[in-house]
Amino acid sequence: MDEREIEVLQKIIDNSHRIVFFGGAGVSTESGIPDFRSADGIYHQSCKYSPEEVVSHSFFLQNPEAFYAFYKEKMMCLNAKPNAAHLKLAELERAGKLSAIVTQNIDGLHQAAGSKTVYELHGSIHRNYCMNCHAFYDAAYVKHSVGIPRCERCGGMIKPDIVLYEEGLDEQVIADAIYAISRADTLLIGGTSLVVYPAAGFIDYFNGDHLVVINKSETGRSVQADLTISAPIGEILGQIVVR
């Protein structure tokens, strides 16, 4: 990363009016939330079950106690705070420069930073529902429950509103995300390896002027980016001036 890259990014943002941000786990690592696929990520940690197995729909139903032990410890980081990337994106939205955020993250940090139009492709830890009566429970209730969280009304098992392996994405969220990307004049891709499908395929709907990739490592698919910056996204966006 050099000053020229920041200057080019600043110029692109200055001349854009419908920016869409497409982000992944790397956006939240600067907030202390581990990602999945990096050397220090969740997928490389030694566990009784593989993370891919634990966060699957079938495992959740067959072994909910083990699921929740993993989920509460590894995926529910309730003390995490928005970092420079989250805050700058919210500032861009308030200034009328950014029209939407499309995120693969489930931590809710974009909303905590003040962003309003956020399409959560994989759901959110902050929404949890009883599988019997559909009563709502917040993240704190699930995090601090003993063992399997149960509904106070009917005793049913609570399921987080996140997309597990073997489950499909919400069709309305998909439609809204694709529509936003298709109308964008600039697409910022940040903190994602672009290996999780179908989400990674959404960028194919972009037909705007500038495609920018900001990621610490190479992405898993080739994209014809106008600008590629290999650095932590919070470090980069924190240098951008919104005007």
Side-chain angles (χ1 to χ4, degrees), residues 22-23 102 104 177-178 181-182 187-189 192 194 197-208 211 213 219 221-224:
F22 182 94
V102 180
Q104 300 172 80
I178 289 175
I181 291 171
S182 69
L187 180 62
L188 294 181
I189 299 174
T192 175
L194 293 179
Y197 282 82
F202 289 6
I203 66 174
D204 294 333
Y205 291 91
F206 175 66
N207 296 300
L211 177 60
V213 174
T219 57
R221 56 169 289 182
S222 176
V223 294
Q224 300 300 315

Side-chain angles (χ1 to χ4, degrees), residues 34 42 54-55 60 64-79 106 125 128 138-150 158 160 162:
I42 290 175
V54 175
V55 293
F60 170 76
E65 193 159 0
F67 168 87
Y68 269 112
F70 177 90
Y71 177 69
K72 292 177 191 178
E73 179 185 356
K74 304 293 186 182
M75 301 178 69
M76 299 191 78
C77 304
L78 302 190
N79 294 324
I106 60 174
I125 64 171
N128 306 272
D138 63 16
Y141 182 89
V142 172
K143 177 78 170 181
H144 301 303
S145 62
V146 177
I148 302 169
R150 296 283 180 180
I158 294 170
I162 62 173

Side-chain angles (χ1 to χ4, degrees), residues 61-235:
L61 294 179
Q62 295 164 11
N63 200 343
E65 193 159 0
F67 168 87
Y68 269 112
F70 177 90
Y71 177 69
K72 292 177 191 178
E73 179 185 356
K74 304 293 186 182
M75 301 178 69
M76 299 191 78
C77 304
L78 302 190
N79 294 324
K81 303 297 182 185
N83 61 51
H86 300 105
L87 296 171
K88 187 64 65 176
L89 291 168
E91 185 182 354
L92 285 166
E93 183 185 49
R94 289 194 298 272
K97 304 283 287 182
L98 183 143
S99 57
I101 291 171
V102 180
T103 181
Q104 300 172 80
N105 295 342
I106 60 174
D107 52 48
L109 290 182
H110 285 297
Q111 291 92 331
S115 292
K116 303 300 183 184
T117 305
V118 183
Y119 300 121
E120 297 172 309
L121 298 178
H122 297 152
S124 173
I125 64 171
H126 297 283
R127 298 188 298 269
N128 306 272
Y129 299 94
C130 172
M131 297 178 70
N132 288 340
C133 72
H134 308 294
F136 171 84
Y137 291 90
D138 63 16
Y141 182 89
V142 172
K143 177 78 170 181
H144 301 303
S145 62
V146 177
I148 302 169
R150 296 283 180 180
C151 178
E152 293 180 339
R153 296 182 185 178
C154 71
M157 185 167 68
I158 294 170
K159 182 182 184 297
D161 187 18
I162 62 173
V163 179
L164 302 174
Y165 286 113
E166 305 166 352
E167 295 179 342
L169 305 187
D170 182 274
E171 291 186 3
Q172 188 59 56
V173 174
I174 291 174
D176 291 341
I178 289 175
Y179 180 72
I181 291 171
S182 69
R183 294 187 68 251
D185 55 10
T186 292
L187 180 62
L188 294 181
I189 299 174
T192 175
S193 56
L194 293 179
V195 297
V196 178
Y197 282 82
F202 289 6
I203 66 174
D204 294 333
Y205 291 91
F206 175 66
N207 296 300
D209 301 322
H210 299 289
L211 177 60
V212 178
V213 174
I214 307 171
N215 200 46
K216 288 176 66 176
S217 58
E218 290 186 10
T219 57
R221 56 169 289 182
S222 176
V223 294
Q224 300 300 315
D226 299 284
L227 175 64
T228 300
I229 302 177
S230 299
I233 187 165
E235 177 183 317

